């Protein structure tokens, strides 16, 4: 989940991303991989792979005879992806590359996955044209995007914190994370994909204790890092307190909603 403008992490943030974002991603990654109809021996690309959540799940489905690649612009994220890659699977080849300039031959992959990355591409049309190029005929594309902010109380609380500190860069990064599926489906059609589908996914997720989790999660995502870098670590702590104030005190279980988009090359 990192590519070009809109999602940059540096320093120790990629390691925190792997730790704190994993609880939110897990059920959506499972749904994403299931939607791609992977099979033993499949060749799969995890586009804007971040620390490799989807790549690892895809490798389990593709099996020893498969091939899985992960591409991301952030070398820091890829370093964590390499470290977290279980060696029971076939090697996952992680490569630093932007989504609109992929280092793979034409028609390489049976499936391309994109978990919470498409909304951050600076040129979505160019990225999906390149995705189409590396996908074999009849190959599948599957992506998720956060797109129903108001259905996710945790993200509504995050928005309150971002608004409180009123840093334009943090606000822009936060808004970018919540894409509309219509924009993605239209770009897929322009890139030459067909049979596009779009459906809403809602999972109820139990987070770790919020006293520690909220600040840790905020420190692992770009809009939180922007608050810290611009206003200081104390501002990040205060932003985390704001998030907790706007969440119920008696639960750590919340619904999260995204849109799953699939298409065929």
């Amino acid at each position: 989940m990192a590519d070009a403008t809109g999602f940059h992490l540096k320093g120790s943030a990629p390691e925190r991303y792997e730790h704190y974002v994993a609880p939110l991603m897990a059920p959506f990654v499972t749904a994403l991989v299931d939607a791609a109809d992977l099979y033993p021996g499949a060749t799969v690309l995890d586009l804007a792979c971040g620390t490799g959540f989807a790549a690892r799940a895809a490798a389990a489905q593709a099996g020893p005879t498969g091939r899985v690649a992960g591409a991301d612009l952030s070398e820091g994220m890829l370093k964590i992806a390499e470290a977290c890659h279980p060696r029971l699977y076939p090697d996952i080849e992680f490569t630093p590359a932007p989504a609109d300039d992929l280092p793979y031959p034409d028609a390489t992959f049976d499936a391309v996955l994109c978990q919470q990355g498409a909304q951050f591409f600076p040129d979505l049309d160019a990225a999906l044209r390149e995705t189409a190029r590396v996908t074999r005929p009849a190959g599948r594309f599957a992506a998720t995007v956060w797109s129903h902010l108001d259905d996710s109380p945790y993200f509504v609380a995050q928005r309150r914190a971002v608004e409180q500190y009123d840093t334009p860069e943090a606000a822009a990064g936060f808004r970018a994370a919540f894409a509309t599926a219509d924009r993605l489906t239209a770009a897929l059609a322009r890139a030459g994909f067909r049979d596009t589908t779009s459906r809403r996914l809602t999972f109820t997720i139990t987070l770790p204790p919020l006293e520690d989790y909220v600040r840790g999660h905020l420190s692992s995502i770009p809009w939180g890092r922007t608050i810290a870098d611009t206003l200081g670590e104390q501002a990040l702590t205060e932003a985390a307190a704001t998030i907790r104030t706007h969440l119920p005190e008696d639960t750590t279980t919340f619904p999260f909603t995204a849109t799953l988009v699939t298409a065929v090359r």
Side-chain angles (χ1 to χ4, degrees), residues 13-49:
E15 185 174 357
R16 291 195 298 273
Y17 180 90
E18 168 68 25
H19 178 73
Y20 288 104
V21 177
L24 300 183
M25 293 293 190
F28 294 98
V29 168
T30 298
L32 177 75
V33 173
D34 288 348
D37 292 333
L38 302 183
Y39 49 85
T43 56
V44 187
L45 171 64
D46 182 6
L47 182 65
C49 65

Side-chain angles (χ1 to χ4, degrees), residues 43-226:
T43 56
V44 187
L45 171 64
D46 182 6
L47 182 65
C49 65
T51 59
F53 298 133
R56 296 194 292 268
Q61 296 292 325
T65 59
R67 177 193 169 201
V68 178
D72 198 286
L73 196 62
S74 168
E75 294 193 25
M77 299 283 263
L78 294 177
K79 182 178 179 180
I80 302 302
E82 291 271 11
C84 294
H85 164 35
R87 301 306 168 186
L88 293 175
Y89 303 150
D91 276 344
I92 303 172
E93 180 186 350
F94 291 107
T95 303
D100 58 1
D101 188 16
L102 298 171
Y104 310 110
D106 294 355
T108 296
F109 298 103
D110 299 312
V112 176
L113 310 175
C114 188
Q115 167 72 7
Q116 298 297 344
Q119 61 266 56
F120 297 107
F121 297 154
D123 188 336
L124 182 60
D125 283 316
L128 292 181
R129 285 195 301 270
E130 186 70 344
T131 301
R133 181 186 68 77
V134 301
T135 306
R136 68 165 178 79
R140 293 185 63 82
F141 173 86
T144 57
V145 291
W146 300 123
S147 54
H148 295 278
L149 167 62
D150 291 336
D151 293 337
S152 302
Y154 183 83
F155 288 141
V156 172
Q158 272 199 356
R159 180 175 61 189
R160 297 283 185 89
V162 170
E163 290 171 347
Q164 175 180 333
Y165 287 93
D166 194 27
T167 62
E169 185 179 356
F174 182 81
R175 287 194 302 270
F178 297 92
T180 63
D182 289 346
R183 180 169 170 259
L184 180 54
T185 55
L188 283 166
R190 290 192 294 271
F193 286 91
R194 57 185 173 82
D195 298 339
T196 302
T197 69
S198 175
R199 65 185 176 93
R200 189 165 165 158
L201 297 176
T202 298
F203 293 105
T204 299
I205 298 172
T206 299
L207 300 175
L210 298 183
E211 183 175 353
D212 295 322
Y213 178 79
V214 171
R215 191 188 189 284
H217 178 244
L218 196 60
S219 74
S220 70
I221 51 181
W223 43 97
R225 290 312 317 160
T226 297

